Amino acid sequence: MKRQFLKLFITTLLFMFMKTNSNAQGLNHTFVVGYAGGLDSHTSSLRGKIEVDSNSITVIPANFKMPFDGAQANISDENGNLLMVTNGCWIADATGDTMQNGGGLNPGFFTGGWCDQTSGIPNVHSSVFLPWPGDSSKYILVHQTGNSSLPNLVSSELYYSVIDITQNGGLGSVTQKNIIAFQDSLDPGMAACKHANGRDWWIVLFKDNSDLIYKLLLTPSGITSIMSQHLGLPSQSNYNGQPQFSPDGSKFAFHHRYGVINAVTHRIRLFDFDRCTGMFSNGNLMSIVDSASGLGLAFSPNSKYLYFSTFTKIFQLNTDTSNFAASLQTVANFDGYCYPYTFTCTSFWTMYLAAN
């Protein structure tokens, strides 16, 4: 059964830091939050925005009609003004309504099954907006969805769509949509990091049930290369959590979990990353068993500490120590608060970095 829960303010607020290596001051200024579809399938009253800058955190109730499940991505301009957001089904513009030509993302039976429920697709970190290198009028959305013929949430394609923000009176229009970048059995979740040249972008995601990671390079000419690398650690299948680059771009981590309730193994994998070559090295693996599931993960603003979560705990690791696993500390525990129903608890979920 699909989860119905309030996307947690608390987890977001615990990590109010800025991604200094990859984003200008305003690009991740706004966080769109709220219930998934189901409980409020006919109302938008339980949704809103968190706006963060260097001086304040403002929670703003919003008449925002887009529902969310696991998939959510948005981007603001350099001044922090929200430009667009997606739930994997469609793209909304700054007004919260459908962007011109923004419907019908991720074609297929799997997507339709979720989008027809007035929801979004459940694949966490399955969409990412990026500014188009060298062109301030364009943005790219890289996105994926599940495939009903594959297990769990595994996808068979990686798509991209292109947005011209100058069209439709400055609200933007999708000029290319659902273009297949490449095909394989792909785990849900991807991450992006600025290239060392300060212009281009690395985009990475995983082959399912493998230690293979794909690396796409986005340049002013588009996605110009697709490379792969074996990471040399035990393979994983599905649920790679929130793959994340550190703010300085020198490290990369992801959170894989498997098992059953009361005996869930959480594996945190950490690598060094070369922003010039796109190569990963010096892999580390840390495992713990916890009673709860979960998959959140985020770096601290100085790139030294790595945080990951289960539904009931938040942990901290020191990435600068020679004994990565031994640095594990518990830094937060869920207090048991549930509202308005016993099954809509504000347990920990995903984590993001925002302004400090």
Side-chain angles (χ1 to χ4, degrees), residues 178-190:
N178 298 324
I179 308 300
I180 296 176
F182 74 101
Q183 295 174 294
D184 203 340
S185 57
L186 302 169
D187 282 339
M190 68 185 84

Side-chain angles (χ1 to χ4, degrees), residues 75 100 154 174 182 193 203 214 233 304:
I75 192 167
Q100 189 175 79
V154 174
V174 179
F182 74 101
C193 179
I203 305 161
Y214 286 107
L233 290 177
K304 179 177 181 178

Side-chain angles (χ1 to χ4, degrees), residues 18 24 71 77 259 354:
M18 173 58 66
D77 64 20

Side-chain angles (χ1 to χ4, degrees), residues 74-90:
N74 61 268
I75 192 167
S76 301
D77 64 20
E78 61 184 9
N79 297 314
N81 301 306
L82 183 65
L83 295 176
M84 62 196 89
V85 59
T86 186
N87 61 357
C89 302
W90 52 284

Side-chain angles (χ1 to χ4, degrees), residues 302-346:
N302 63 3
S303 302
K304 179 177 181 178
Y305 296 105
L306 180 65
Y307 298 90
F308 71 96
S309 66
T310 69
F311 291 157
T312 58
K313 295 182 178 71
I314 297 177
F315 300 93
Q316 175 184 280
L317 289 159
N318 185 344
T319 67
D320 285 347
T321 182
S322 58
N323 195 338
F324 174 62
S327 70
L328 181 70
Q329 297 184 53
T330 302
V331 295
N333 289 283
F334 170 51
D335 63 5
Y337 182 75
C338 300
Y339 179 85
Y341 310 105
T342 57
F343 57 90
T344 54
C345 298
T346 54

Side-chain angles (χ1 to χ4, degrees), residues 131-135 138 197-201 217-224:
W132 192 276
D135 188 342
K138 291 169 60 178
N197 64 18
R199 182 197 65 191
D200 301 337
W201 293 90
L217 184 61
L218 176 66
T219 74
S221 300
I223 296 174
T224 57

